[in-house]
């Protein structure tokens, strides 16, 4: 089945450690996105990529980094510089050829930092 | 400022009843409006997408309406089922189509 796979589903880390969240898609989509979801807030954009080897900062990029070396993969690293990293992280992709194509989301990674 | 506001924040209804969720936006220029369903602990799933020229779009028991003049949309759920319990998120696409504004969602609980 085509879709987006995020792993792991749950992740626990100690404060001060970097951690990388995986996002893989087999939909052949050009555009990929990382969002953060906190209770009572709308999804907030961390980074997005429209094409391989290119990505742009979103609204809350501080403390995060990404890479886009392959079309299928868009990993997100949460660094120790992120002040409040505990959250639900969602990866999404879209067919960039149409403005009206839906965003396809993965099932998220819940990160807890203590 | 581009914003998307949803109401109510939460809603409890009896199984079999209908309900309507609201979405007001100030995003301009507007490309399209989407409704998503998000089950707890899962990613959102697309229900409908409407462009500027569309007033109504249905997906099974879900019917979305759009009034681009007043910048309002609604999602009507008919004959609710327990599996409809989820958060419903309104998303407005800005201008060129690669920037999205998310509402905070309406949490719907359907009880037997």
């Amino acid at each position: 089945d085509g879709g987006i796979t995020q792993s792991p589903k749950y992740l626990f880390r100690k404060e001060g450690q970097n951690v990388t969240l995986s996002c893989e898609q087999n939909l052949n989509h050009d555009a990929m996105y990382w969002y953060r979801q906190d209770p009572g807030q709308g999804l907030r954009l961390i980074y997005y990529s429209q094409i391989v080897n290119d990505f742009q900062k979103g609204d809350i990029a501080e403390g995060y980094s990404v890479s886009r070396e392959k079309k299928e993969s868009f990993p997100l690293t949460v660094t120790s510089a992120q002040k409040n990293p505990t959250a639900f992280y969602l990866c999404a992709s879209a067919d960039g050829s149409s403005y009206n194509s839906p965003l396809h989301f993965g099932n998220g990674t819940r990160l807890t930092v203590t | 400022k581009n914003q998307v506001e949803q109401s109510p924040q939460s809603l409890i209804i009896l199984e079999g009843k209908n309900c309507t969720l609201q979405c007001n936006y100030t995003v301009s220029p507007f490309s399209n409006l989407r409704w998503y369903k998000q089950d707890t602990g899962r990613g959102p799933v697309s229900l409908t997408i409407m462009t500027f020229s569309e007033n109504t779009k249905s997906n099974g028991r879900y019917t979305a309406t759009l009034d681009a003049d007043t910048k309002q949309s609604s999602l009507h759920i008919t004959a609710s089922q327990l599996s409809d319990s989820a958060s419903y998120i309104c998303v407005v696409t800005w201008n060129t189509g690669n920037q999205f504004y998310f509402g905070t969602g309406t949490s719907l609980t359907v009880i037997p």
Side-chain angles (χ1 to χ4, degrees), chain B residues 83-95:
Chain B
S83 59
D84 291 332
S85 295
S87 180
Y88 291 84
I89 302 172
C90 176
V91 185
V92 179
T93 306
W94 178 80
N95 192 28

Side-chain angles (χ1 to χ4, degrees), chain B residues 20-38:
Chain B
T20 300
L21 315 180
Q22 299 290 343
C23 173
N24 296 336
Y25 63 94
T26 59
V27 177
S28 182
F30 163 93
S31 179
N32 58 58
L33 186 145
R34 310 155 186 240
W35 282 94
Y36 284 82
K37 177 186 179 188
Q38 184 178 21

Side-chain angles (χ1 to χ4, degrees), chain A residues 37 50 99-101 103 107, chain B residues 32 34 36 38 43 96 98:
Chain A
Q37 188 173 38
Q50 303 282 13
Y99 293 160
N100 296 325
S101 61
L103 278 172
N107 278 323
Chain B
N32 58 58
R34 310 155 186 240
Y36 284 82
Q38 184 178 21
T96 58
N98 64 0

